[in-house]
Each structure stands twice: as C-alpha cells, then as structure tokens.
Amino acid sequence: MQDKPYIVIMAGGIGSRFWPYSRNNKPKQFLDILGTGRSLLQMTYDRFREIAEPEQFIVVTNQGYFDLVKEQLPELADNQILTEPLRKNTATCIAYAAFKIRTVDPNAILVVTPADHLILQENRFIKTIQSALEAAKKPGRLITIGIKPNRPETGYGYIQYLESDNHHPSLKVKTFTEKPNAKLAKTFLESGDFVWNSGMFVWNVESLIEAFHKYMPDVADVFEEGKAHYGKSDEQDFINRAYSQVKNISIDYGIMEKSDEVYVILGDFGWSDLGSWHSLHELREKDEHNNVIEANALVFETENCFIKTDSDKLVVVQGLDHYLINEADNVLLICKLDAEKKFRDFVSSARKKGEDFV
C-alpha cells in the first residue's frame, strides 16, 4: 500500500447553482444527478478505487453531512470523514487533510479532488493521474491537472503553461487566471498554451506543507498545533477552534498562484465540473429541439430548454427558448438556463421566505 496515494475528496459545498434540486440538507454531491444509481460522491469514490484502497480515502465535508457520507460510503471508517464546522474554502479544507495525513504517513502522496465532477473516459483519466503521481515524487513540486479547452468558456479558471522540449508530461505553469471575460477566454483558446483549471491536484504531503509554511504561514501555524490532537478524542474540538482562526481563501489564490514550483499535467478525458444546470444540459440526451426533458411534459414551440419535474404531474410548456423549469419538493423554479450567476440571489431571497425552501 505504500506506493498507493491517499485520495482526498472535497465534499462540503452546498451546490447552490443546482437549487432547488440541490438543498442545504442534501446538496448536489449526494444526489444521483446523472441517473446512474450512484451519487456524484459515490462515482468519485468508484473512479479512484482502481488506484487506492478504501482505507486511503479521506472525505472532507461539513459537519452536517457526516451521516450522508457514512450512508453513501459505508466502506469508510469514521476517522476518514473530516468534518468542518465552517466553510472556509479549499485552502483550509486541504490543510486539514494534509496535516492530519502527515501524522500517519509523512511520505504520503495526495490526490485532491472535488466530489462533484464528471469524467467520461475513466481509463484515460487514471493514466493522467498516474503521470501526475510520478511527477509529484520530485521534492517541492505541486501538480495540477489542466483540461484541454474546446470552447472559450468563461466559467472556468485558466492555466498558462510553458512548452517543454524534454517530452515529460508535466509542464511548468506560467500564470493562473480566474474566470475571464468572453473576449479574453477566446484569446486564451486561440493561443494554444492555456488549459482549464480542473481543481484537481497531486502532491507529496511534505511538499504541500512546505508550501503552506512559505505562502500561508498563518494557516500552517494553526494546523501544526493539531499534531497533539489528530486522531485523538479532542480532534473535533481543536478543529472547531482552528477554523475560527483562518481566512476564507482558495488553494489557487493562497498557494498555486504564488509558487514557482507548480506544474500542470494536460488531461483530455471528457471532463465537466457539473457546475450548473446549463453545463448539465450540454451533457444530457436532447430531443430534436435541443430540449432536455426529464418530466411528464407536453412541449410546444419550445427549444434549448431543461425541464425536470416529478413524473406524477403533467407540465405543459409553450413558447420558451433557453429556459430552465425545475420543480423539487416545495419549490418551482423558472428562469433562463444560463442564469447561474443569479442563483445566489434566488437562494438568498428564498431563505427570507423560510429555511424550508433552501
């Protein structure tokens, strides 16, 4: 088992851009969004079982989702589910997992992945991860997985890399750019040396912790204090205190954009971050008018829509173009299909009507 990686699955998000199907008490990573019989979290676990044993998985999630993780991944022991008292973004989540894993295995190599991505070509994906694991053995190196873009997408971050003449799959990263505007995204696509930032990382635990000490010393100092608590009965009490002391910041902004030891492995394996109804619409089977219909529906003069409701209710739709219609429990949502930037406002306003609606 020494040569197998630890798989850290980040599963603490609330999936607000899939509201109202995704709710606070059961967000999208715990839902069977794709109709496979397995939730996105379970599909992520299944994907990595080829290269890791069950005891090498760590799921980092919100305290309120512990029981959901246990129910969906009964193979994991309680101490493999790390629960966060507050949402403090990916840097804190990853720091918690890394500092805890180091107490057990100081030579560990970690693969860090979100719980809610879609991978269509899993064999090609595993080969990419194996290349990244090999590259991460070099001391100090931080490896990220970049996705070859096929359109000028404005919803993803971009990584620019330097060409290499040594034929090694890991390429030195030149710049990170957070979600660009349409014009800049088009320029990135045409330049040929930019890839989408997948949010998946591979690194030796010592290299990562060294980077935390260099670029985020305040976070490193807090989690170093956990040595006396990790794996003990007071671990959660320590974590509750630790999370109140650190900033809300992403690993990209906190470390990856600052380090000169970041390398990217290029991936092409049918990837989507399933970030919104719009992205799911692109993937689902459509009718002759480009509608995704997962409902008992009669549709007239309607195109480019996503209709998802309970099958015990007949839905009649006429004259819509590029709309989402979703009924889930006690909420009916009708909005533009590409309105994901509005969803925070939708959820915030719904909360004022009552917590039962979110």
Side-chain angles (χ1 to χ4, degrees), residues 7-12 30 41 45 54-85 93 96-97 100-101 230-232 235-236 239 243:
I7 311 299
V8 178
I9 302 176
M10 299 181 289
F30 301 108
L41 172 64
Y45 173 81
E55 55 267 35
Q56 291 172 283
F57 284 79
I58 296 288
V59 176
V60 189
T61 192
N62 186 269
Q63 285 180 358
Y65 303 147
F66 177 87
D67 289 341
L68 278 171
V69 177
K70 281 292 289 182
E71 176 188 331
Q72 295 199 356
L73 297 179
E75 303 91 335
L76 303 192
D78 288 2
N79 65 1
Q80 292 174 260
I81 305 170
L82 311 188
T83 57
E84 301 180 288
C93 157
Y96 179 15
K100 176 166 179 167
I101 289 170
Y230 298 130
K232 307 288 175 48
E235 178 178 335
Q236 194 63 55
I239 289 300
Y243 268 65

Side-chain angles (χ1 to χ4, degrees), residues 234-297:
D234 64 346
E235 178 178 335
Q236 194 63 55
D237 290 337
F238 164 75
I239 289 300
N240 292 346
R241 294 194 305 273
Y243 268 65
S244 69
Q245 298 172 46
V246 295
K247 293 179 291 190
N248 184 326
I249 188 169
S250 72
I251 194 74
D252 294 316
Y253 185 75
I255 290 179
M256 304 302 278
E257 292 182 13
K258 297 173 181 173
S259 172
D260 58 2
E261 286 291 339
V262 179
Y263 289 76
V264 63
I265 301 280
L266 306 187
D268 185 10
F269 37 71
W271 172 89
S272 170
D273 75 341
L274 291 178
S276 66
W277 288 107
H278 190 259
S279 64
L280 186 58
H281 178 271
E282 293 179 355
L283 296 164
R284 304 301 274 167
E285 187 176 338
K286 303 170 189 68
D287 69 10
E288 65 271 25
H289 301 293
N290 204 39
N291 297 308
V292 175
I293 300 176
E294 298 177 0
N296 182 13

Side-chain angles (χ1 to χ4, degrees), residues 134-151:
E134 191 61 35
K137 290 179 181 178
K138 191 157 186 177
R141 286 204 173 175
L142 307 174
I143 311 299
T144 184
I145 307 298
I147 308 298
K148 293 177 181 177
N150 56 19
R151 63 185 185 278

Side-chain angles (χ1 to χ4, degrees), residues 154-258:
T154 59
Y156 300 151
Y158 283 72
I159 299 169
Q160 184 182 25
Y161 60 89
L162 299 172
E163 291 289 356
S164 171
D165 56 5
N166 63 9
H167 306 295
H168 196 278
S170 61
L171 302 166
K172 192 165 180 60
V173 168
K174 184 178 179 182
T175 61
F176 278 82
T177 304
E178 277 306 297
K179 301 170 183 176
N181 59 38
K183 184 178 179 182
L184 196 54
K186 189 169 184 290
T187 301
F188 288 169
L189 183 66
E190 291 170 350
S191 75
D193 59 352
F194 282 82
V195 288
W196 290 333
N197 182 3
S198 72
M200 290 182 279
F201 309 98
V202 181
W203 35 44
N204 178 288
V205 71
E206 206 53 63
S207 300
L208 174 60
I209 287 175
E210 184 182 303
F212 266 109
H213 277 289
K214 185 172 182 179
Y215 301 108
M216 301 185 72
D218 51 338
V219 172
D221 289 346
V222 167
F223 285 98
E224 283 287 7
E225 292 175 16
K227 284 179 181 175
H229 307 283
Y230 298 130
K232 307 288 175 48
S233 60
D234 64 346
E235 178 178 335
Q236 194 63 55
D237 290 337
F238 164 75
I239 289 300
N240 292 346
R241 294 194 305 273
Y243 268 65
S244 69
Q245 298 172 46
V246 295
K247 293 179 291 190
N248 184 326
I249 188 169
S250 72
I251 194 74
D252 294 316
Y253 185 75
I255 290 179
M256 304 302 278
E257 292 182 13
K258 297 173 181 173

